[in-house]
Structures are given as C-alpha cells and as structure tokens.
Amino acid sequence: MTGDGVLAQALRYLNDPLSWTAPGGILDLTGQHLVMSVLAALLAAAVALPLGAWLGHAGRGAAVVVALSNTSRALPTLAVILLLATAGLFGDTATVLAAALFAVPVLLVGAYEGVRGADPAARDAARGLGMPGGRVLWQVELPLAVPLLAAGVRTAVVQVVATVPLAALAGGGGLGHVIAFGMGTQRYGQVLAGGLLVAALCLVVDGLLALAQRFAVPRPLRARAAATAAR
C-alpha cells in the first residue's frame, strides 16, 4: 500500500460522517478520552501539588523531587498499564492510574520550583509581619509560584492526553481505539487518522491551556517576565 493510498484512506475515514456520529465513533471516543485525561490529571494534581508546595515551602526534598522525575522517565508507560492489568485493573482504570503516575513528577517539579523560587524579599516581609508559615505559603509563595505551577499543569495535561491512547491496548476506550482497530484490521489509513486525531486533540488542549495560563498569571508577574525576557 502506498503512502498516498494510506493518506487517502485517512481522509476518507475522517470525512465520513458515520465515523464521527456512530455509536463508538470519534465523538464518543473523544469524550471518553477527555474524561480519562481529566481524571488522571486531577488524581496527579491531588497528590503532587500539595506535596510539591509543602516541600518547596519547607526547603527540603529536592533529592526526592529529582529522583521521582528521573524514575518516571525510565519507566515505560505501556509496561505500567500492562502491569496494572495483570493486577486486575484493566482498560480505562489502568490507563488513568498510569497516566496519573507519569504526570505526578511534572506537577511536583512545577510546584516545588515555583514555591521554592518565590521572591525571598516578599517571603521575609510576610514573616516580618508575623504571618505563620501556612499563611506565608498560601498568601505569598503560591501566588508568586503561579507561572511555574501553570506551566507544569499545562505540560502534565498535554502529556496525559498523549498517553491515554494506550488505553486501547489494555481494553480501554478513547481515541487510541481508532488506532488499535486500524492496526488489527490492517486499515492503515485509519491508523493514520487516529494519530492525526490524537495530535489535533493535544494541540487544541495545549492552546486552551496556554490561554488559561496567560490569564492565570497575575499581570505584574507577566510584566516582570516580559521585562526579563527583553533584557
């Protein structure tokens, strides 16, 4: 089969309304994909953000953060999903847990570096006013950490969206089902279409999060970052 033939099949698949609207079609699979991505991102954030913020505030745990980050890069995602499957966790559940596992280090590093890198003068001023540690973290360090926190969330969520297609290899849903079905039936145009759909979804999510990141960062911090970049 030629490359042109595969591309033509992919375009034909994507232009077929039934591919989108049929039960179990692209729209249904995209919904499943997004639900799994949101669950994985929320699970990772619930663990990583409080821990990273606390470690950054306490000024401890740099070695733990680095070790977790390096370990996550060494573990293959598919192997983790299959390992969870052997433990009785199949499909969507295994994928959500695996994607969350790999998102934790990204969020952890962003929270740790953001809080740890907060302006020391602002931190000292807050302590000089008699603020307890919890208020310093919540009212001073976390607002100043928003740029790195937002960047970490953006990176982690896009990574999760790109990882979720592996669910299809463990009996799960999501857009990976388009790719897996195409491979199983040797419809390589559908495989290409599935890859394009996943890539497009990642780009859309990244673009939306980029806008959210811009609005989440306070204007004075944006101005300071722009001035620093212009130097």
Side-chain angles (χ1 to χ4, degrees), residues 203-219:
L203 290 174
V204 170
V205 170
D206 184 61
L208 292 174
L209 290 177
L211 290 175
Q213 179 182 351
R214 177 174 178 80
F215 288 111
V217 176
R219 185 174 297 176

Side-chain angles (χ1 to χ4, degrees), residues 150-181:
V153 169
R154 177 182 172 187
T155 301
V157 171
V158 174
Q159 175 179 297
V160 166
V161 173
T163 301
V164 164
L166 293 174
L169 300 178
L175 290 173
H177 184 74
V178 176
I179 300 173
F181 185 80

Side-chain angles (χ1 to χ4, degrees), residues 18-166:
L18 287 177
S19 297
W20 294 81
T21 59
I26 294 172
L27 294 179
D28 284 349
L29 294 174
T30 300
Q32 297 170 13
H33 198 114
L34 290 174
V35 168
M36 285 190 287
S37 298
V38 169
L39 290 175
L42 289 176
L43 180 60
V47 174
L49 295 184
L51 178 60
W54 181 80
L55 290 175
H57 172 73
R60 298 192 296 268
V64 174
V65 173
V66 171
L68 284 174
S69 179
N70 291 337
T71 301
S72 70
R73 294 190 181 99
L75 291 173
T77 310
L78 180 58
V80 173
I81 293 175
L82 295 179
L83 181 62
L84 291 171
T86 61
L89 298 173
F90 296 95
D92 296 353
T93 302
T95 305
V96 167
L97 292 176
L101 176 65
F102 286 95
V104 162
V106 179
L107 294 170
L108 187 65
V109 169
Y112 176 84
E113 293 294 342
V115 172
R116 187 63 183 156
D119 189 349
R123 186 186 294 116
D124 292 341
R127 288 172 176 164
L129 292 173
M131 283 189 180
R135 286 187 62 190
V136 173
L137 172 61
W138 187 254
Q139 296 183 6
V140 178
E141 292 172 332
L142 281 176
L144 293 174
V146 166
L148 282 178
L149 279 171
V153 169
R154 177 182 172 187
T155 301
V157 171
V158 174
Q159 175 179 297
V160 166
V161 173
T163 301
V164 164
L166 293 174

